[in-house]
Amino acid sequence: MTSKITGALVDEAIHVRTIAKDVVLSGTYLYPFKGIIYTANHRPLWQPFLSRSGKIISLGLGVTSTMFFFTYVPQAAVMAITSGPLAPVSAALLVLSESSTITTFLARAFVLSDAITDTFDGALIEEGQEALVAQDRQLAPHNAARDAIDRLGKTFKGGLEKVEHPKMLLRSLLLLPLNFIPVVGTAMFVYAQGKKAGPDAHARFFQLKGWSDNQIDKWVEKYRGAYTGFGMASFALEMIPFVSIAFSFTNTVGAALWASDLEKMIE
């Protein structure tokens, strides 16, 4: 029994080392940061975010206030064991991180689904990928629209699902205690979440390509390190309190930039 456990741990360590090498070599962890710069220089891409900013702020304040009221004291007590005198500060940061995770999930599920899709498609159009976007939505002619976002019409397939599965939120909350472990625990948390966040960032790309679940699985497995690298970088940005939703949009732009590069490679 012990030998089996040891063998499993060794195999997992080898797998993680291989993935880590692929992550570094892929360079995809740079796309979320490219997304920030690109968004800053393309004002039309701000529109989907700004149009929903009021709802986002209200949701964020509500979630954060509730989390501090119900969870701060218990978590501060636990953090006193691992962080000593820094427990109050560590607990506050953890609650803010948890609040960001919950806010991002709820916002994506109920407020931002269409906005995220519009941002992704708008960035693709800015990159000259009109043919790809046209696979799933009507596009207004250049002379009939002010910018890339204004060109976006109705989708044929209804866009992405508006309500994500509750198990995604549950998974995030179950993994949050890893943050109780200084440095290493947080790194493990970001890695675990990044593995899932990477492929999710290209859900719209896969939809535009019209790929089946089997095709998507094969593609993601082929570029597992690249998707993990992108996911880790984007998730780390979305862990930053108060600006997590803004980074959701810039990460979407980064994902679109990567999708555009992949589309050029496929062609």
Side-chain angles (χ1 to χ4, degrees):
M1 183 67 178
T2 303
S3 61
K4 290 183 178 180
I5 295 175
T6 302
L9 291 174
V10 171
D11 290 341
E12 181 62 20
I14 294 174
H15 176 69
V16 171
R17 186 174 64 180
T18 302
I19 291 295
K21 180 180 178 181
D22 291 342
V23 166
V24 173
L25 294 177
S26 70
T28 52
Y29 48 82
L30 295 175
Y31 278 103
F33 302 99
K34 291 180 181 179
I36 295 173
I37 298 171
Y38 196 90
T39 304
N41 290 299
H42 291 76
R43 293 180 67 89
L45 297 179
W46 301 6
Q47 296 175 33
F49 170 70
L50 293 178
S51 65
R52 293 161 177 81
S53 58
K55 293 181 179 179
I56 294 170
I57 292 172
S58 298
L59 177 63
L61 289 175
V63 170
T64 303
S65 299
T66 301
M67 288 294 291
F68 265 99
F69 184 80
F70 287 105
T71 70
Y72 175 73
V73 173
Q75 293 189 85
V78 175
M79 294 296 285
I81 300 174
T82 59
S83 301
L86 295 177
V89 176
S90 298
L93 292 175
L94 183 58
V95 172
L96 287 173
S97 178
E98 293 166 345
S99 299
S100 293
T101 298
I102 296 172
T103 300
T104 300
F105 170 83
L106 294 176
R108 281 180 173 271
F110 301 107
V111 180
L112 301 180
S113 179
D114 292 340
I116 291 293
T117 299
D118 288 348
T119 301
F120 191 91
D121 291 356
L124 284 178
I125 291 176
E126 291 278 10
E127 285 295 289
Q129 297 293 343
E130 297 181 16
L132 179 61
V133 177
Q135 296 298 313
D136 183 46
R137 72 189 311 164
Q138 300 171 346
L139 295 178
H142 283 284
N143 57 6
R146 295 167 299 176
D147 49 56
I149 297 297
D150 198 38
R151 293 189 62 195
L152 300 176
K154 294 182 179 179
T155 60
F156 304 135
K157 302 173 185 176
L160 299 176
E161 293 184 8
K162 293 188 176 182
V163 181
E164 298 181 59
H165 202 289
K167 72 178 182 181
M168 294 178 64
L169 176 60
L170 179 61
R171 180 175 184 272
S172 296
L173 294 178
L174 289 175
L175 289 172
L176 275 173
L178 285 172
N179 289 287
F180 285 125
I181 307 172
V183 184
V184 176
T186 301
M188 292 171 61
F189 177 65
V190 172
Y191 170 73
Q193 292 290 70
K195 287 179 64 177
K196 184 70 172 63
D200 285 350
H202 267 176
R204 178 60 174 165
F205 176 55
F206 300 146
Q207 185 183 52
L208 291 173
K209 296 295 290 182
W211 288 350
S212 66
D213 290 342
N214 186 51
Q215 287 176 300
I216 293 172
D217 290 341
K218 288 182 178 179
W219 175 269
V220 171
E221 191 57 38
K222 181 179 179 180
Y223 296 102
R224 172 60 65 186
Y227 277 105
T228 300
F230 180 91
M232 290 177 67
S234 61
F235 186 79
L237 288 173
E238 291 182 22
M239 285 180 66
I240 300 175
F242 307 116
V243 291
S244 59
I245 300 297
F247 281 133
S248 291
F249 279 88
T250 59
N251 286 338
T252 297
V253 173
L257 296 178
W258 182 20
S260 177
D261 289 342
L262 288 173
E263 185 66 7
K264 294 172 185 176
M265 180 187 73
I266 294 172
E267 293 174 350

